[in-house]
Amino acid sequence: MTFSEVNIFGVYVAPISVMMLMGWLVTLLLRWLLMRSGLLRHVWHPSLFAFSLFLIVLSLMVLSAPLLRVA
């Protein structure tokens, strides 16, 4: 499994930084959905839950990236 740098307007950035940004956006969407449904109020520590949710989303993105890569 190899990851190559991503070219963003002539600047090469590490692929993990792009995945972290996408993971953060997905986490924001999931937190919004949880707040709207009322499930987030049952969480003991919302900040810890948000951080854990981000780590889960980021891990899933990193582990599934090679599977989604087109040769």
Side-chain angles (χ1 to χ4, degrees):
M1 159 177 30
T2 61
F3 293 104
S4 60
E5 289 82 12
V6 179
N7 184 357
I8 300 177
F9 300 114
V11 177
Y12 289 103
V13 295
I16 190 70
S17 59
V18 176
M19 289 182 191
M20 286 176 71
L21 179 63
M22 291 187 325
W24 180 66
L25 294 174
V26 170
T27 302
L28 286 178
L29 176 68
L30 288 174
R31 284 188 64 200
W32 181 79
L33 290 172
L34 289 171
M35 273 193 290
R36 295 285 293 168
S37 67
L39 293 175
L40 197 58
R41 65 185 168 138
H42 297 292
V43 174
W44 171 69
H45 201 294
S47 299
L48 186 59
F49 178 77
F51 180 66
S52 301
L53 186 63
F54 172 72
L55 288 180
I56 291 169
V57 168
L58 181 61
S59 298
L60 287 173
M61 292 176 83
V62 168
L63 291 174
S64 66
L67 300 176
L68 300 175
R69 189 171 202 157
V70 178

